Amino acid sequence: MQKQKIATCLWFDGRAEEAARYYTSLFPDSRITDVQHYGEAGPGEPGSVMTVTFELAGREFIALNGGPEFTFSEAISLSVDCADQAEVDELWARLTDGGEESVCGWLKDRYGLSWQIVPRELPELLGHPDPTVSQQVMKAMLGMRKIDVQALREAAGK
């Protein structure tokens, strides 16, 4: 298997391995592929986890225990394409457990990482050729936390 050229690196304060194990439990085709530890040269405590390389749905990520200097913000989020409402519901419940809901399908997980839980039908409804319909869908979505596909369909007149 060829190594992915660009991987997302997520900065944690001592919880990189815990987070990687949690994330890999959420998605099929996910696994931890490597764990590196700090040596005597530091900057972390010798023997503690430095990085965890893992795959989520086949895409590579790196979790780094970099310390408390930096935290996540909504400026970066992971967007998940969900096949249907059942997948939206399951991921929403699991990712908000210990985290917090936001608006329009966004949430923060227990580690502070932002996610967008997007039903596959949402872009289609927002891109409806009739601008009146697409705006009705947008208005409905703006009033939601977790995306409700049936409510969006109703807003589109379906």
Side-chain angles (χ1 to χ4, degrees):
M1 179 194 286
Q2 186 176 5
K3 181 159 175 64
Q4 185 174 302
K5 188 162 187 81
I6 298 173
T8 300
C9 182
L10 304 170
W11 182 293
F12 294 89
D13 183 14
R15 298 176 75 186
E17 188 171 22
E18 174 188 323
R21 290 192 188 290
Y22 176 65
Y23 297 148
T24 57
S25 76
L26 298 173
F27 300 96
D29 193 22
S30 299
R31 65 193 177 111
I32 291 176
T33 59
D34 188 51
V35 178
Q36 296 288 319
H37 296 85
Y38 282 108
E40 292 299 322
E45 185 173 327
S48 66
V49 172
M50 178 176 65
T51 61
V52 180
T53 304
F54 62 103
E55 295 174 0
L56 293 182
R59 297 185 77 53
E60 186 176 74
F61 291 83
I62 301 163
L64 166 70
N65 277 327
E69 292 84 6
F70 302 108
T71 59
F72 296 119
S73 82
E74 290 83 355
I76 296 290
S77 63
L78 300 182
S79 182
V80 182
D81 171 53
C82 297
D84 53 29
Q85 188 69 53
E87 187 177 9
V88 168
D89 293 347
E90 179 184 352
L91 284 173
W92 190 268
R94 294 181 74 188
L95 286 165
T96 57
D97 181 19
E100 63 185 69
E101 295 184 355
S102 188
V103 296
C104 302
W106 290 58
L107 61 85
K108 279 188 184 178
D109 69 23
R110 62 182 70 169
Y111 305 101
L113 182 61
S114 291
W115 295 77
Q116 297 176 56
I117 308 303
V118 183
R120 193 163 295 149
E121 204 169 335
L122 177 61
E124 174 189 316
L125 292 169
L126 286 172
H128 194 282
D130 181 340
T132 302
V133 172
S134 65
Q135 289 305 299
Q136 289 170 324
V137 171
M138 176 64 81
K139 184 177 178 182
M141 183 195 69
L142 291 173
M144 296 177 182
R145 288 188 176 275
K146 177 179 71 173
I147 301 298
D148 178 336
V149 176
Q150 185 56 42
L152 294 177
R153 288 178 188 145
E154 290 169 9
K158 290 186 174 187

